[in-house]
Structure formats: structure tokens, C-alpha cells
Amino acid sequence: GAGVSQSPSNKVTEKGKDVELRCDPISGHTALYWYRQSLGQGLEFLIYFQGNSAPDKSGLPSDRFSAERTGGSVSTLTIQRTQQEDSAVYLCASSLALRTGQKLFFGSGTQLSVL
Amino acid sequence: GNSVTQMEGPVTLSEEAFLTINCTYTATGYPSLFWYVQYPGEGLQLLLKATKADDKGSNKGFEATYRKETTSFHLEKGSVQVSDSAVYFCALSDYNQGGKLIFGQGTELSVKP
């Protein structure tokens, strides 16, 4: 595709339910990143992938959060037993390679609302 | 650890005014520095970057100079337009941390006609 695609664009769920957020990076981009954008919290790093492996999971807020990437392409961020504090915009980005100085291309995000 | 601090917003300016948004960083290595911009209803996009000390990044009339001695990367524009209204994020990436971007809190800019 032309850019990073995220789905769904909006997700409303009930507290305690599981949700899956999907990211389709730009074709050929080996690095993929997940961020969370909350009101008043700025952009919070969650996890990144080089190919299918995740060298740095340090940003995942709790063990309810997990992510995987398959075929060096699509990634899924899963939040189990959602809580109200999980409400935020979840952003995915990709880059050609995993090295400093690389330009990241961002998707439009998934707005998650936990009621 | 690495971190980025930028001036709090919102910043409100009249059209053609001079803009400065301050950004300072803390890093253990030799990071690359970035400004990203988020226009209303749009995704984050790169505005400019600098990869080593004394480099100046520029784009769309915006400039920022990588100052290692003051650990700063302030964003400037000589004459802002209404269309510059957006949220601006300063960020760094450091080889020691795998190249991931660490962002500041963001500064909302509103330009009035």
C-alpha cells in the first residue's frame, strides 16, 4: 500500500474484554513500531520489531499487552482484559530499517475507548 | 535513560509572527534529533531532522539546529501561517536503544489570522 494502514480506526469496547489492533506497514519496511498517544501523556513507546522479532518490549505497560508480527509484515497488538486507562490512540509506524536517523512513517491510528 | 523535554503549550500566535518551540534532550550516546508534526485530523509526519552536532534541519520554512553543548534542538520559523496550526513533537533516536524514537510531550500551536 501507499502508507501505513491501521484497523480498525475506532474501537469501543467494554472493560474486561480483549481487543486486537492491526497494523499493515509499508511494503519492504523491516522495522515496525507501536506507540500510544494519550491526552496529556504525549507519545509513549510500546514495542518495536525488526523483522518478526521484538528486541525491545520494555514499553509494554503490563502483561495484558502483547504484540506479534508475522511474515515480516502485518503486526497485531493485543490488549487482554481491557481497563479504562487503556483508552488512547494506538499508533503504528514503520521504517526501512532499524537504525538511528531513520524516518518513521506513521499510520492514522486506532482510537480505543474502554467503557 | 534518554528523554526529551519540550516547552508546554498551547502556543497562540498571530499570523506572520516569529515562532520558537524549545526542545532539550538527555541522551547517553549520540542521538539523531527530529521534529514531527501532527496536523488536525492527520497522522504524524516528519518535519525535519538532524543527525549530528551543528547540523541544521529545515523544511517548509522551519529550522532547527542540533546544539550538543546545550543539548537542544529548538524549532523556529520566521513567519507563521494559519496552516502551521498543529501539534509539534520533538524526538530523538539513539543507536544504543535500537533506533526507536523517544518523543517529547508535544506542543500545540494555534495561529490566528
Side-chain angles (χ1 to χ4, degrees):
Chain A
V4 177
S5 177
Q6 292 187 245
S7 61
S9 54
N10 280 283
K11 177 72 177 178
V12 180
T13 190
E14 292 178 352
K15 179 181 170 181
K17 301 276 184 155
D18 298 351
V19 295
E20 283 189 353
L21 311 181
R22 177 188 168 102
C23 173
D24 276 281
I26 292 173
S27 178
H29 281 195
T30 62
L32 185 147
Y33 312 77
W34 283 98
Y35 287 86
R36 180 166 72 174
Q37 187 174 21
S38 309
L39 275 176
Q41 297 294 318
L43 278 155
E44 177 188 9
F45 168 79
L46 298 179
I47 188 170
Y48 72 73
F49 290 88
Q50 172 61 33
N52 292 334
S53 65
D56 186 352
K57 301 180 183 179
S58 62
L60 293 176
S62 75
D63 59 7
R64 296 186 295 105
F65 287 71
S66 63
E68 65 174 12
R69 189 180 185 193
T70 55
S73 181
V74 172
S75 176
T76 303
L77 177 69
T78 301
I79 310 173
Q80 295 179 309
R81 306 181 302 282
T82 52
Q83 303 295 312
Q84 288 183 335
E85 62 262 27
D86 299 334
S87 297
V89 177
Y90 289 82
L91 293 172
C92 177
S94 68
S95 65
L96 270 172
L98 187 71
R99 60 173 181 262
T100 186
Q102 280 288 306
K103 175 181 177 179
L104 267 61
F105 294 79
F106 282 83
S108 297
T110 294
Q111 173 77 61
L112 175 65
S113 300
V114 182
L115 303 179
Chain B
N2 294 351
S3 66
V4 176
T5 302
Q6 52 181 115
M7 66 186 283
E8 290 188 18
V11 174
T12 302
L13 295 174
S14 297
E15 208 164 20
E16 298 183 2
F18 184 85
L19 169 72
T20 300
I21 301 178
N22 289 338
C23 171
T24 57
Y25 67 90
T26 301
T28 54
Y30 299 93
S32 293
L33 301 174
F34 305 79
W35 279 99
Y36 277 77
V37 59
Q38 190 173 33
Y39 296 104
E42 299 185 17
L44 268 168
Q45 55 188 277
L46 178 66
L47 179 60
L48 54 83
K49 73 175 187 180
T51 57
K52 61 183 187 296
D54 300 324
D55 269 2
K56 177 187 284 188
S58 61
N59 186 24
K60 298 183 181 180
F62 290 88
E63 292 183 342
T65 301
Y66 189 144
R67 301 283 188 202
K68 192 170 185 297
E69 63 275 15
T70 54
T71 61
S72 65
F73 193 55
H74 304 321
L75 182 68
E76 296 183 335
K77 186 173 185 182
S79 176
V80 293
Q81 305 300 311
V82 173
S83 57
D84 294 325
S85 298
V87 181
Y88 292 81
F89 293 90
C90 186
L92 69 81
S93 73
D94 189 337
Y95 178 78
N96 293 334
Q97 295 198 329
K100 73 186 183 192
L101 276 177
I102 305 293
F103 285 91
Q105 294 291 91
T107 302
E108 183 180 359
L109 170 66
S110 179
V111 180
K112 306 296 185 187

